[in-house]
Amino acid sequence: NSEFLHGRRGRPLAAMSTYAQEPKLFGKWSYDNITVADISVQDYIPVKGKCAVWLPHTAGRYAAKRFRKAQCPIVERLVCSMMMHGRNAGKKLMAVRIVKHCFDLIHIMTKKNPIQVYVNAVMNAGPREDSTRIGSAGVARRQAVDVSPLRRVNVAIHMMTTGARLASFRGLKTIAECLADEIVYASEDKHNSYAIKKKDEIERVAKANR
């Protein structure tokens, strides 16, 4: 039976079986050996199973319900965070392109898998302690509180993209280069990173308000 030999569209079945089996981000970066060393944020940095995607553009309804964004692929959350400041709102394909270039640059800079570098940056850049306002009208003071794991991931991604945006605005560097620098510095816990500087400032204020 020729249909059995050639498949339905006339392609030989042997050729069809040579297609990629495991998903790779942008067709390049493997999710295989990605580890999340910090167990507190393990559940909120999804890189396995359904969250190992070819493109960080799944068009899922992650904002429809509380905590559902924890199931959004971690790279897609970076892409969504890049679409900020009115003029960029909704331009997801542009944000995907920026992240793709950024990951290529990270690989050139570090010679490591950029997904792992980015996961390390998210783990390092989230503040572990923050302060909140206590007391109604009149005497209001600040009280130090622990930060939940989901918020640590949210704030880390937000601060990295904000730092990249500020660095590239009215500068010579492209946004992809600035984002790559920010992620690499954050993954190495260096103070050149805007996110790491902000995290330390937040934790210092919280310590003073214990």
Side-chain angles (χ1 to χ4, degrees):
N1 185 350
S2 66
E3 188 179 297
F4 176 74
L5 286 175
H6 290 285
R8 289 195 177 271
R9 301 211 176 159
R11 294 185 195 132
L13 287 180
M16 291 172 83
S17 66
T18 59
Y19 289 143
Q21 301 300 315
E22 52 149 355
K24 288 185 174 180
L25 184 68
F26 300 121
K28 289 183 187 175
W29 316 116
S30 171
Y31 291 92
D32 269 358
N33 300 314
I34 305 300
T35 55
V36 183
D38 187 344
I39 58 165
S40 60
V41 290
Q42 242 168 18
D43 295 342
Y44 297 99
I45 300 184
V47 285
K48 297 283 184 228
K50 276 197 302 187
C51 296
V53 289
W54 290 94
L55 264 186
H57 194 317
T58 58
R61 296 170 57 225
Y62 298 110
K65 206 168 180 197
R66 193 181 179 197
F67 294 120
R68 193 177 291 169
K69 63 181 171 184
Q71 290 149 23
C72 179
I74 193 70
V75 182
E76 184 168 356
R77 297 201 61 192
L78 180 70
V79 168
C80 293
S81 192
M82 289 305 297
M83 298 192 291
M84 284 192 189
H85 282 226
R87 57 184 183 166
N88 301 323
K91 299 181 185 176
K92 194 159 185 175
L93 295 181
M94 182 176 81
V96 169
R97 195 191 70 233
I98 289 167
V99 170
K100 184 180 180 186
H101 289 173
C102 163
F103 275 27
D104 289 338
L105 290 168
I106 290 173
H107 180 66
I108 291 165
M109 288 158 73
T110 63
K111 300 285 182 287
K112 294 177 186 165
N113 185 338
I115 305 175
Q116 184 64 65
V117 175
Y118 167 57
V119 165
N120 293 348
V122 172
M123 285 191 297
N124 288 342
R128 292 157 296 187
E129 191 180 22
D130 202 347
S131 46
T132 183
R133 285 181 77 245
I134 293 272
S136 55
V139 186
R141 64 186 195 84
R142 299 184 75 88
Q143 171 67 44
V145 290
D146 295 336
V147 179
S148 74
L150 180 60
R151 181 167 167 81
R152 277 180 61 190
V153 173
N154 298 348
V155 172
I157 294 171
H158 172 71
M159 289 201 298
M160 284 193 289
T161 53
T162 303
R165 203 175 290 115
L166 291 172
S168 72
F169 189 60
R170 295 193 182 169
L172 296 175
K173 277 188 171 181
T174 65
I175 184 81
E177 289 169 18
C178 293
L179 186 60
D181 284 344
E182 181 69 34
I183 289 173
V184 170
Y185 288 140
S187 71
E188 293 167 357
D189 223 347
K190 286 186 178 169
H191 272 256
N192 310 29
S193 158
Y194 173 89
I196 296 292
K197 273 194 292 215
K198 279 284 186 189
K199 169 199 162 184
D200 285 354
E201 184 189 328
I202 289 168
E203 289 183 350
R204 195 172 63 246
V205 171
K207 191 174 179 183
N209 292 313
R210 274 179 189 167

